[in-house]
Amino acid sequence: MKVLAFNGSPRGKRGNTDRILQPFMEGARAAGAETETICLKDLKIKPCLGCFTCWTKTPGVCVQKDDMPILLEEIRHADITVYATPLYIFTVSGLMKNFMDRYIPLLNPHIIKRREHYTHPRRYEDMPRSRVVLISNCGFPERHHFSGLVETFHRFTDDPDSELVATILCSMGELLRRPELQDFLGWYYEAARKAGSEVVELGHITPETQAILDKELMSLDVFLSVANAYWESQIAAPEREKGAVEPGQPLQPPTALSTTLRGAISGMPLVFDIQAAGNLQAVIQFDVSGEEPGQYYLRINEGKCSAFEGKHPGPTLTIHTPSEVWMAISRGELDGAQAMMQGSYTIDGDLNLLIRLKDLFPGVPAASGADKQIQKEK
Ligand SMILES: Cc1cc2nc3c(=O)[nH]c(=O)nc-3n(C[C@H](O)[C@H](O)[C@H](O)COP(=O)(O)O)c2cc1C
């Protein structure tokens, strides 16, 4: 059995669509299928001219000279065709639409009634019944964004020679290609893999697997915080640093193991790992509530980390946290990533930077680390 997939994302293999498609194809292979993935962005596919020459003067052959004849030949012999596309303005991407429009040389122009609908019969009788899988992801959290896309594919396969056998739709899809979330999303990729095997073995996705694939990737609250923090971190980040005046008061490092949040933050520069920081330039703001409320920030610049009390006007990352939560994290009693997913604290700004904190500040801030750090900085 041949499973042929078309990836319609302009990001190709670096995109979110591919993060669902590849485990699906792995599952199909594990079930014994031969698989092939074609990234449409890598091919020359011109738009349909609407001339219908492929139906009249040169039946089955388009006037456009590009890579499309090879793809039509591949489609003719595939048992299962996977259309994998990001959602663009409630439907397929432009790449995918161009490609789908160019499908018409495979049809015969005559209009006939089959079942209760009128349709164009296929040009080639030896084509296997086309079993179609739709895979898509979208940026918004609401699944209703897919309604037009799904309707398109129902119509696209609405004849006795075709069938839409499976649909995988993932909202919040921009999370899929985030390196720091790959472990967290393992359950979703596993379900996509299972779906690939099931489509090959059973001809459909089981309700159990479908139920997993239909789940939200994370809670709406956490998603909104992660997504907006990401965009905030991407918008003109270098601008923030221009002409910056140090607005806070320098914090002195603690002389003994600290039991206060202020002490814990002022001790963070002592365990700062210069190698892990590389050429990082960032400001990490702590907006602290709870038992020990306060505003503190860490400035990382030119291989150095300094702590300040006060509010920075353009932090790279802001951590809004009760003091008790951050103390528990810095003492190693609470896992930082898990605590955020559970909503124990929230962030604005660069999520990647939050994920890097463990590497940037290995160990608990303590006076005992001071000598080591001072030597490193010499
Ligand atoms: C031009 C454009 C239009 C988009 N339209 C929608 C949309 O209508 N609804 C939505 O939820 N996301 C929309 N998105 C977001 C994409 O679906 C989202 O970024 C997706 O993860 C991209 O997948 P990819 O990485 O495989 O290309 C749009 C993105 C672009 C660039």
Side-chain angles (χ1 to χ4, degrees), residues 5-77:
F6 296 101
N7 179 344
S9 167
R11 293 168 173 169
K13 295 216 155 294
R14 289 181 302 107
N16 299 307
T17 307
D18 209 59
R19 298 265 163 186
I20 312 170
L21 177 58
Q22 286 320 314
F24 179 90
M25 298 297 264
E26 266 170 49
R29 274 194 298 281
E34 180 198 339
T35 65
E36 183 180 356
T37 300
I38 295 172
C39 278
L40 297 179
K41 81 167 184 61
D42 297 334
L43 299 175
K44 195 165 161 200
I45 304 174
K46 295 183 189 167
C48 173
L49 296 176
C51 61
F52 289 122
T53 304
C54 63
W55 279 4
T56 54
K57 290 193 191 114
T58 56
V61 180
C62 178
V63 290
Q64 296 278 37
K65 298 291 168 250
D66 56 15
D67 293 327
M68 204 53 207
I70 307 163
L71 302 189
L72 291 181
E73 198 53 31
E74 295 248 23
I75 291 175
R76 276 185 66 180
H77 300 105

Side-chain angles (χ1 to χ4, degrees), residues 7-12 14-19 85-91 136-142 145-146 170-177 231:
N7 179 344
S9 167
R11 293 168 173 169
R14 289 181 302 107
N16 299 307
T17 307
D18 209 59
R19 298 265 163 186
T85 177
L87 193 76
Y88 272 18
I89 315 294
F90 306 101
T91 186
S136 186
N137 88 96
C138 76
F140 278 94
E142 297 142 307
H145 277 248
F146 292 115
C170 178
S171 57
M172 306 183 182
E174 277 292 348
L175 300 174
L176 294 169
R177 69 193 180 111
W231 288 117

Side-chain angles (χ1 to χ4, degrees), residues 151-227:
E151 184 59 16
T152 298
F153 275 81
H154 277 309
R155 299 281 70 81
F156 186 57
T157 54
D158 186 17
D159 69 71
D161 296 324
S162 319
E163 187 185 356
L164 182 61
V165 293
T167 303
I168 302 177
L169 306 170
C170 178
S171 57
M172 306 183 182
E174 277 292 348
L175 300 174
L176 294 169
R177 69 193 180 111
R178 302 279 286 270
E180 70 277 15
L181 295 179
Q182 294 313 299
D183 287 348
F184 170 71
L185 294 172
W187 60 273
Y188 188 82
Y189 301 131
E190 187 46 44
R193 209 167 285 125
K194 220 165 166 204
S197 295
E198 288 173 356
V199 166
V200 170
E201 283 165 355
L202 312 170
H204 62 267
I205 301 177
T206 59
E208 296 76 34
T209 305
Q210 189 73 56
I212 299 172
L213 291 168
D214 290 347
K215 277 188 189 161
E216 284 181 342
L217 294 184
M218 57 171 61
S219 79
L220 185 60
D221 283 355
V222 178
F223 166 74
L224 288 176
S225 144
V226 168

